[in-house]
Amino acid sequence: MENHHTSKPHSFYAVGLSYKKADAEIRGKFSLDAVAKMRLLEQAKTEGIESLIVTSTCNRTEIYGFAEHPFQLIKLICENSQGSVEAFQKYGFVYKNKEAVGHLFRVGTGLDSQILGDFEIISQIKTSFFQAKSVDLVNAFQERLVNAVIQASKKIKTDTEISSGATSVSFASVQYILNNVDDIGNKNILLFGTGKIGRNTCENLVKHSKHEQITLINRTKDKAEKLAQKLDVVVKDYADLQLEIQKADVLVVATGAQNPTVDKTILNLKKPLLILDLSIPKNVNENVEDVEGVTLIHMDYLSQITDETLENRKKHIPAAEAIIEEIKDEFLTWSKGRKFAPTIHALKEKLHSIKDGELNFQRKKLSDFNEEQAEIISNRIIQKITNHFANHLKDEETMVDESIEWIEKVFNIGTTQKNE
């Protein structure tokens, strides 16, 4: 993975920071929106970086690319975000060559995700890859690597159960609704509160039901209107809460208030109502269960479902890691072969040149020189010699860069290797 450039050797790095060491505030400073990512890619090209992809999510900001020194990549992150080099040194990470390749495999397959088995990240890596490719900032090594990671992600998703079950409270709540409410597409859903959990729940609900069946209410109406515009759902005034609850089949409460915002005094029901309280502290008074037809589900119950799911997912880690190792080894074998192939080719040409000179000398010296037999024997010897060198370079214990340098020096051959 080194010597992928003319002059000074370039190595493959993964640099960045994630939820593992950096809290949300720190991650926010290093986050890159679409404009900043494109600006970073353009700056990388200007500064002579040959191949690089950058991804930025709520849980991580990371660069995977070639550089003489990792600071070239760290600098790109810091100069295009609000993050500082000092903060990066405290919270960031740097992986090189094989470790960098391994890191990208774990990220892309959901093993490094905050929620184990979260496959959303692979689509973000794909998007980042195509953005880099659009500005001609992806070489053959990185294209092959990303494709290998995508292959591993698909195989893990298909062959293991590491992504099964609900893994967030908002997703678990939607799964609960889908599993317990018949004909959900024709039922009225009221979402009271538009905090983070409320927004995520609403987004998940939109995917599984009709937009016109979902109504948002928030104490601050403009927040609800912003979300409603994005998701194409209905907004009602806070004053209409009691009336809208009467129309609802499902009420999702995520208000973030310190005291209950819903209790039995505002329930004047004409049909059954499922209430999901996704708030901490609880925002629905348990006295609502005194009303006939009400089913109350608290966040702590949904969290238990999520915890059980994550525990079950952990059982599938070894199978996922085995898939990663298999596909990663195939990639590294390809990468290693690609690195020393020019040297082996140059060595073979050098030996053939030596052979041609010697045969020419013997042809002039010997009157009964058997040219055909000499050609066959010498070609076989050359093939055996180059096979020995190739097998040496393929060996896991071989220091490939040093060996290539030694072969080129001994046989006085030069190969100029560039990333394709």
Side-chain angles (χ1 to χ4, degrees):
M1 273 161 271
E2 295 179 4
N3 292 333
H4 279 265
H5 201 68
T6 55
S7 67
K8 296 180 182 177
H10 282 215
S11 297
F12 180 68
Y13 291 101
V15 307
L17 69 170
S18 73
Y19 69 93
K20 289 186 173 181
K21 283 182 70 177
D23 61 23
E25 185 180 352
I26 297 296
R27 296 199 305 275
K29 289 180 179 177
F30 283 91
S31 67
L32 303 163
D33 60 18
V35 174
K37 282 173 70 177
M38 193 54 70
R39 190 169 61 236
L40 185 152
L41 293 173
E42 294 292 353
Q43 183 180 339
K45 284 200 75 173
T46 303
E47 295 182 1
I49 300 295
E50 189 173 5
S51 182
L52 172 153
I53 65 172
V54 55
T55 184
S56 186
T57 72
C58 58
N59 285 327
R60 67 182 72 246
T61 295
E62 300 184 2
I63 283 180
Y64 316 101
F66 284 90
E68 291 176 27
H69 190 280
F71 183 72
Q72 292 171 277
L73 307 181
I74 295 166
K75 174 172 159 288
L76 287 171
I77 294 177
C78 295
E79 289 182 356
N80 289 283
S81 70
Q82 300 302 311
S84 66
V85 173
E86 292 76 20
F88 187 94
Q89 288 173 330
K90 187 174 181 180
Y91 299 105
F93 63 80
V94 174
Y95 297 114
K96 182 179 180 181
N97 292 335
K98 281 186 182 179
E99 288 73 24
V101 168
H103 177 70
L104 182 54
F105 268 97
R106 291 188 69 83
V107 170
T109 55
L111 292 192
D112 197 70
S113 296
Q114 190 166 24
I115 297 172
L116 177 65
D118 176 10
F119 280 92
E120 190 179 335
I121 185 66
I122 193 64
S123 64
Q124 291 159 336
I125 288 172
K126 285 181 191 176
T127 300
S128 299
F129 169 75
F130 287 119
Q131 284 175 335
K133 197 165 185 181
S134 72
V135 293
D136 194 27
L137 203 55
V138 174
N139 62 16
F141 175 95
Q142 199 146 18
E143 181 155 8
R144 180 95 173 212
L145 174 57
V146 170
N147 285 331
V149 172
I150 292 168
Q151 181 190 351
S153 176
K154 286 179 181 175
K155 191 169 175 60
I156 288 171
K157 196 169 186 179
T158 303
D159 294 2
T160 77
E161 294 179 30
I162 204 164
S163 62
S164 61
T167 54
S168 67
V169 170
S170 59
F171 188 69
S173 64
V174 174
Q175 291 299 305
Y176 184 89
I177 292 169
L178 295 176
N179 293 334
N180 291 276
V181 179
D182 295 330
D183 193 23
I184 188 65
N186 292 312
K187 297 292 173 66
N188 293 323
I189 302 170
L190 175 61
L191 181 69
F192 179 32
T194 56
K196 183 179 179 182
I197 290 177
R199 290 196 306 272
N200 290 343
T201 303
C202 191
E203 288 175 4
N204 278 315
L205 284 169
V206 165
K207 294 176 185 176
H208 297 286
S209 58
K210 297 174 184 175
H211 293 212
E212 64 267 21
Q213 305 296 129
I214 300 175
T215 301
L216 295 183
I217 291 180
N218 195 58
R219 287 180 185 273
T220 312
K221 192 175 181 182
D222 63 335
K223 288 184 179 178
E225 286 175 336
K226 285 179 184 176
L227 181 60
Q229 189 174 13
K230 177 184 174 185
L231 299 176
D232 189 25
V233 295
V234 178
V235 174
K236 295 287 184 177
D237 290 325
Y238 177 62
D240 297 326
L241 178 63
Q242 194 166 351
L243 179 63
E244 292 301 322
I245 289 176
Q246 288 179 25
K247 297 178 186 176
D249 297 286
V250 178
L251 169 62
V252 179
V253 181
T255 56
Q258 292 303 303
N259 298 300
T261 53
V262 174
D263 64 21
K264 69 178 184 180
T265 60
I266 66 169
L267 301 184
N268 182 20
L269 304 182
K270 297 178 175 61
K271 57 181 176 179
L273 178 64
L274 170 64
I275 303 177
L276 274 67
D277 185 0
L278 308 185
S279 310
I280 297 176
K282 294 175 181 179
N283 279 191
V284 178
N285 194 318
E286 292 186 4
N287 66 16
V288 297
E289 293 184 283
D290 297 340
V291 179
E292 188 178 351
V294 169
T295 302
L296 175 62
I297 301 296
H298 283 301
M299 184 178 183
D300 51 6
Y301 173 77
L302 296 169
S303 296
Q304 286 172 13
I305 296 173
T306 300
D307 291 341
E308 288 171 16
T309 298
L310 291 176
E311 285 304 312
N312 287 332
R313 286 185 172 197
K314 288 178 184 177
K315 299 173 188 174
H316 302 283
I317 291 176
E321 288 179 334
I323 290 169
I324 288 173
E325 283 305 306
E326 179 187 351
I327 296 173
K328 186 176 73 174
D329 285 348
E330 288 174 5
F331 170 77
L332 291 173
T333 299
W334 169 85
S335 172
K336 203 171 185 181
R338 179 173 173 266
K339 179 190 270 189
F340 64 69
T343 300
I344 293 297
H345 180 72
L347 173 61
K348 188 176 279 191
E349 284 190 344
K350 181 72 172 185
L351 293 175
H352 274 289
S353 175
I354 294 170
K355 176 206 74 172
D356 291 341
E358 185 60 27
L359 292 188
N360 193 42
F361 173 77
Q362 296 298 336
R363 191 182 298 114
K364 293 174 182 176
K365 187 176 181 182
L366 302 173
S367 58
D368 59 346
F369 179 62
N370 189 330
E371 188 166 341
E372 184 179 351
Q373 195 67 25
E375 189 81 32
I376 292 170
I377 292 169
S378 54
N379 284 344
R380 282 177 61 84
I381 292 171
I382 288 171
Q383 190 59 50
K384 286 180 183 295
I385 292 171
T386 52
N387 283 347
H388 273 289
F389 279 106
N391 289 334
H392 166 73
L393 292 169
K394 286 177 186 175
D395 192 286
E396 278 297 314
E397 302 302 316
T398 298
M399 301 293 286
V400 178
D401 295 298
E402 288 83 347
S403 293
I404 287 174
E405 187 179 353
W406 178 83
I407 292 167
E408 292 180 351
K409 190 177 287 184
V410 168
F411 289 94
N412 194 25
I413 55 178
T415 61
T416 304
Q417 295 179 319
K418 295 181 181 180
N419 284 322
E420 295 168 12

